[in-house]
């Protein structure tokens, strides 16, 4: 009976791992730190084309910085304006802007890039 309970617990645990893995995305930043994005916090792949069209239609200004635009990079304190993501593209705690021609999501308090919307 004890072996049966252990086997059931092991199976249940193995089944829960993929579900937990889908709940968030961990992205290495190259500097030893990581950025964790919840599954529903960024711009979902199926709405990205519409989101890019929205950015063009709204004529969001492009900011140019000397650094490369990568997930985990921190944007300068001044010179960049951040905008709220419309709810039609998903509810997210992040803001968006366009830097070096790329639309990105940024964690507003730290100014850390959490997603490059491709």
């Amino acid at each position: 009976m004890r072996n049966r309970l252990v086997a059931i617990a092991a199976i249940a645990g193995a089944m829960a791992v993929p579900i937990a893995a889908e709940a968030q995305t961990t992205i290495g930043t190259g500097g030893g730190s990581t950025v964790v994005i919840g599954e529903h916090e960024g711009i979902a792949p199926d709405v990205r084309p519409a989101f890019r069209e929205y950015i063009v239609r709204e004529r969001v200004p492009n900011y140019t910085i000397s650094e490369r635009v990568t997930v985990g990079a921190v944007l300068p304190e001044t010179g960049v304006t951040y905008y709220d993501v419309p709810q039609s593209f998903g509810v997210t705690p992040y803001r968006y802007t366009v830097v070096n021609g790329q639309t990105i999501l940024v964690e507003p308090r730290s100014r850390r890039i959490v997603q490059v919307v491709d």
Side-chain angles (χ1 to χ4, degrees), residues 8 19 27 31 48 61 64 69 71 73 80 84 93 97-98 102 109 111-114:
I8 290 171
I19 293 169
I27 302 168
R48 288 180 189 164
T64 303
V69 176
V71 171
V80 180
D84 292 331
T97 192
V98 178
Q102 296 180 286
R109 297 187 99 190
R111 302 177 325 279
R112 184 174 302 278
I113 299 171
V114 296

Side-chain angles (χ1 to χ4, degrees), residues 18 30 69 75 81 88 107:
V69 176
L75 295 177
T81 303
S88 60
E107 197 286 314

Side-chain angles (χ1 to χ4, degrees), residues 4-54:
R4 183 179 242 171
L5 289 175
V6 171
I8 290 171
I11 291 170
M15 290 174 61
V17 170
I19 293 169
E22 287 181 26
Q24 61 187 17
T25 302
T26 303
I27 302 168
T29 62
S33 62
T34 58
V35 176
V36 178
I37 301 174
E39 177 183 11
H40 300 289
E41 293 179 347
I43 303 298
D46 59 328
V47 296
R48 288 180 189 164
F51 185 66
R52 284 190 298 273
E53 289 175 17
Y54 169 81

